[in-house]
């Protein structure tokens, strides 16, 4: 085995897909790319997200308490990277990257029409924002594009490379203690 710096632990543990987070800043939509997020519990559905003051979206999320977590697929990989390489404080990312902003039902932040799924969220707990830049969000509504042919998500390896979801291994019959979560 080879040793690697402990600061690179995220490269081994980042299991969730890269997501896009939309916010609304005084009526102006914005979007950012995010890799640091985690499911925290099933009910109520809580999601932890690291968004720091260096991100333009931080101020909008702090002010509105709402966002949308959009799940892009591999066909959007270049746009996902381009979104992360510019600031919504300087440009309209929706316009520049030709993203379709669709109205959400319960939050002011827009859904992204090109994404596989969109999760409308509200900030549920602010206690870890100042210390860790960790927003605890509650999912309030989910939209999935059932007609979308491309369903593979992107997983960042922390160094500019990505892995795409691959073959599904179905072991539902063995998950006897977790049947209530199967649909």
């Amino acid at each position: 085995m080879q040793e690697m710096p402990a600061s690179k632990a995220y490269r081994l543990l980042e299991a969730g897909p890269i997501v896009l987070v939309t916010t609304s800043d005084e009526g102006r939509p914005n979007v950012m790319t995010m890799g640091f997020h985690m499911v925290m519990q099933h009910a109520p559905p809580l999601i932890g997200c690291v968004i720091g003051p260096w991100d333009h979206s931080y101020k909008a999320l702090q002010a509105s308490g709402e966002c949308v977590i959009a799940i892009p697929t591999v066909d959007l990989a270049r746009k996902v990277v381009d979104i992360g390489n510019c600031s919504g404080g300087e440009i309209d990312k929706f316009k520049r990257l030709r993203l379709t902003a669709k109205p959400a039902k319960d939050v002011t932040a827009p859904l992204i029409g090109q994404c596989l799924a969109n999760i409308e969220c509200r900030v549920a707990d602010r206690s870890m924002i100042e210390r860790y830049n960790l927003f605890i969000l509650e999912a309030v509504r989910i939209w999935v594009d059932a007609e979308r042919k491309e369903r593979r998500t992107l997983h960042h390896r922390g160094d500019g490379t990505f892995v795409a979801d691959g073959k599904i291994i179905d072991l539902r019959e063995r998950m006897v203690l977790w049947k209530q979560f199967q649909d």
Side-chain angles (χ1 to χ4, degrees):
M1 300 202 82
Q2 255 183 336
E3 185 175 0
M4 69 186 289
S7 63
K8 306 290 185 202
Y10 67 93
R11 290 189 182 180
L12 300 171
L13 297 174
E14 187 57 46
I18 288 294
V19 299
L20 301 174
V21 177
T22 70
T23 53
S24 181
D25 186 12
E26 298 177 4
R28 184 171 168 252
N30 187 45
V31 59
M32 67 171 279
T33 302
M34 182 178 64
F36 292 156
H37 56 82
M38 63 184 156
V39 172
M40 298 182 70
Q41 72 179 34
H42 299 333
L46 297 181
I47 303 163
C49 297
V50 174
I51 301 173
W54 52 85
D55 291 308
H56 180 70
S57 300
Y58 179 89
K59 182 183 107 185
L61 184 54
Q62 278 278 53
S64 70
E66 306 175 335
C67 68
V68 169
I69 298 175
I71 316 292
T73 48
V74 297
D75 56 324
L76 298 173
R78 284 178 167 61
K79 285 188 183 194
V80 166
V81 172
D82 290 348
I83 288 166
N85 282 328
C86 57
S87 172
E90 299 166 8
I91 64 160
D92 181 339
K93 293 185 193 185
F94 275 86
K95 185 175 181 180
R96 178 176 284 178
L97 297 162
R98 297 184 184 132
L99 296 171
T100 306
K102 295 187 162 211
K105 187 165 184 179
D106 294 318
V107 301
T108 58
L111 309 177
I112 299 177
Q114 289 84 351
C115 286
L116 174 63
N118 287 269
I119 306 168
E120 296 183 39
C121 299
R122 289 201 179 102
V123 175
D125 186 335
R126 295 176 179 269
S127 65
M128 292 187 265
I129 296 172
E130 190 174 319
R131 185 168 183 179
Y132 297 110
N133 302 311
L134 179 61
F135 287 82
I136 309 300
L137 306 174
E138 181 174 354
V140 295
R141 189 172 300 273
I142 299 174
W143 304 93
V144 178
D145 184 350
E147 303 295 315
R148 190 143 172 53
K149 291 189 185 335
E150 181 60 75
R151 303 185 79 75
R152 295 173 296 155
T153 55
L154 291 164
H155 300 263
H156 191 228
R157 296 180 64 205
D159 61 356
T161 63
F162 297 81
V163 174
D165 278 343
K167 182 180 174 184
I168 294 173
I169 300 169
D170 186 348
L171 298 174
R172 287 178 283 190
E173 78 280 352
R174 296 182 64 84
M175 300 291 287
V176 295
L177 293 178
W178 303 99
K179 290 224 183 267
Q180 73 269 25
F181 298 112
Q182 296 179 18
D183 285 343

